[in-house]
């Protein structure tokens, strides 16, 4: 008899409804760049991050709590907000002790969906906090849904790579009856020696988009494991570090 | 300037709405086993195949035209229908000159969706007719959407493998700005030397489902290129062979 918890991968927000969130930990994955930035800001001492699903709400909450408003639409700082979605905008000497109010095209929207669908627990995952995510999932032994934020619902390479990295590490502790998960591992195994090179060689759409904005440094950082190894966990409207 | 037609891959019917079908040829892909069976029945002389989206409608049309009613739900012959979804049920000495009325869990449903969304042309693809599909797409030089039927909207391995096989062959003739397509090629390249072995090794859910029904022979046939190399094209409610 197999008593292991289950693990599924949802490759797009448009597929999230296929899975039972109410009984699962949902890992929000938006590698380029929302969840990488969330890990980084918290690692650098941000008090908390309030993810919101619209620019209007971002501005509103920013005013109420005197927070840093940040967010992007289509890869650029959204009108009315002050900061963007690059992890390099949030070094310790700027973000320590502050609250970041963040809205992004895909990642924060998916988080809101997971919340609406009653996820048991929501954490965020990215290469910079890969180990923290894996350790938490192995420790708590609950069902897991890896939720890729994708790009406007279209499956993307980097989120699938991260899902594959997580599954490669923790799969022996879970029952994985999910082709999307197995496919993610195959892709990751093929790519793991040089994730940046893999994205470039295989014409990842997000690679081209961000390179077009001159953001190679962001891409490289967001594909490097454990540069900001904390576990952001959602609690009453905020993402906070859960101590490991 | 790039004047090549575009190519996208939709990994699940739940993602089909993201693409512009009205300006594209849609390839319906349901490797295990609907589209493999469609190619095989036509190759073996079936007059035409009428895809329908419900068992009730299958029975109704079967009576009206004295056709062979066939179809499955959850991998088994549906109640009230006579034949199933195995290509081996349709040898020449049985199917020649007859009309097959077919309903399946995923493939015929996707075809209906493509029709409802106004696809410019609909053809069906599977390994048994891989070359016919590729040759047609290269010849007509139209935008292409590879539509994976998946399994109840969950992405599956074998349909993604077939998408990868098609793209590997025709990609130089198309503009491919689509991570799902690039990912499919990566998976296919990894698997192409032994598709059956790849499905087995990577725990494909459909591999297990069909092996559980004793259908190894079906899986092996459905993963072998060009065993029934015809081009089924949808025209006024029927799938017919388009001569190459």
């Amino acid at each position: 008899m197999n008593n292991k918890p289950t693990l599924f991968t949802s490759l797009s927000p448009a597929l999230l409804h296929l899975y039972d969130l109410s009984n699962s930990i949902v890992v929000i994955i938006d590698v380029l760049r929302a969840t990488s930035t969330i890990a980084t800001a918290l690692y650098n001492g941000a008090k908390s991050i309030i993810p919101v699903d619209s620019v209007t709400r971002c501005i509103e909450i920013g005013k109420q709590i005197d927070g840093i408003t940040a967010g992007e639409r289509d890869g650029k700082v959204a009108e009315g907000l002050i900061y963007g979605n690059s992890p390099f905008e949030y070094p310790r000497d700027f973000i320590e002790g502050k609250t970041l109010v963040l809205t992004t095209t895909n990642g924060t929207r998916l988080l809101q969906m997971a919340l609406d669908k009653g996820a048991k627990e929501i954490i965020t995952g990215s290469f910079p906090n890969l180990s923290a995510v894996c350790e938490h999932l192995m420790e708590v032994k609950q069902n897991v849904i890896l939720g890729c934020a994708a790009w406007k619902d279209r499956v993307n390479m980097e989120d699938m790579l991260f899902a594959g990295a997580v599954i490669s590490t923790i799969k022996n502790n879970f029952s994985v009856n999910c082709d999307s998960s197995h496919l993610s591992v195959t892709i990751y195994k093929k790519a793991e020696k040089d994730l940046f090179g893999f994205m470039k060689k295989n014409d990842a759409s997000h690679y081209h988009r961000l390179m077009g904005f001159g953001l190679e440094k962001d891409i490289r950082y967001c594909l490097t494991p454990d540069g900001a190894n904390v576990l952001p966990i959602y609690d009453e409207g905020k993402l906070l570090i859960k101590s490991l």
Side-chain angles (χ1 to χ4, degrees), chain A:
Chain A
M1 198 173 146
N2 181 351
N3 282 323
K4 293 179 183 175
T6 60
L7 184 153
F8 292 96
T9 302
S10 165
L11 294 176
S12 158
L15 301 173
L16 193 68
H17 67 279
L18 300 172
Y19 305 95
D20 175 15
L21 275 64
S22 68
N23 197 24
S24 308
I25 298 181
V26 179
V27 184
I28 305 294
I29 301 167
D30 189 0
V31 165
L32 292 174
R33 294 167 292 159
T35 54
S36 301
T37 297
I38 287 167
T40 304
L42 288 172
Y43 178 80
N44 285 336
K47 206 166 125 194
S48 70
I49 294 166
I50 303 180
V52 293
D53 58 1
S54 76
V55 173
T56 317
R57 194 143 169 71
C58 189
I59 295 169
E60 194 181 295
I61 295 181
K63 274 185 194 156
Q64 285 169 11
I65 63 161
D66 194 24
I68 311 286
T69 59
E72 308 213 339
R73 287 297 177 268
D74 296 329
K76 292 175 188 164
V77 176
E79 214 182 315
L81 304 183
I82 313 296
Y83 293 87
N85 198 15
S86 168
F88 294 108
E89 291 182 86
Y90 305 101
R92 182 168 291 273
D93 59 11
F94 168 63
I95 198 66
E96 191 166 26
K98 293 185 184 138
T99 296
L100 187 62
V101 190
L102 181 69
T103 179
T104 61
T105 315
N106 303 291
T108 50
R109 180 177 150 252
L110 177 64
L111 193 152
Q112 192 59 50
M113 285 174 70
L115 205 58
D116 293 344
K117 289 176 195 293
K120 192 173 180 181
E121 178 180 297
I122 297 175
I123 63 176
T124 68
S126 65
F127 285 101
N129 70 331
L130 172 61
S131 293
V133 168
C134 292
E135 283 161 28
H136 179 66
L137 296 178
M138 286 191 287
E139 190 188 304
V140 295
K141 300 181 177 65
Q142 301 289 317
N143 295 336
V144 170
I145 291 162
L146 301 177
C148 298
W151 179 259
K152 297 182 180 179
D153 285 345
R154 294 189 185 191
V155 173
N156 76 22
M157 207 172 281
E158 63 276 13
D159 293 346
M160 195 163 172
L161 283 169
F162 180 74
V166 172
I167 303 162
S168 298
T169 308
I170 70 173
K171 65 182 175 196
N172 290 339
N173 298 49
F174 290 84
S175 166
V176 187
N177 181 16
C178 167
D179 282 15
S180 297
S181 297
H182 298 307
L183 290 162
S184 298
V185 170
T186 301
I187 295 282
Y188 176 68
K189 290 282 180 199
K190 180 83 186 162
E192 66 178 324
K193 282 185 189 155
D194 179 10
L195 294 171
F196 183 88
F198 182 84
M199 292 275 287
K200 182 178 179 179
K201 184 183 159 213
N202 290 288
D203 272 332
S205 54
H206 225 137
Y207 169 85
H208 287 293
R209 193 177 299 119
L210 293 178
M211 288 297 277
F213 296 144
L215 294 168
E216 176 173 341
K217 194 180 158 199
D218 282 45
I219 305 175
R220 288 192 181 275
Y221 172 82
C222 292
L223 295 175
T224 304
D226 295 343
N229 201 26
V230 295
L231 185 71
I233 187 160
Y234 188 84
D235 185 36
E236 296 186 4
K238 293 172 184 170
L239 287 158
L240 302 158
I241 291 182
K242 163 144 177 154
S243 30
L244 291 173

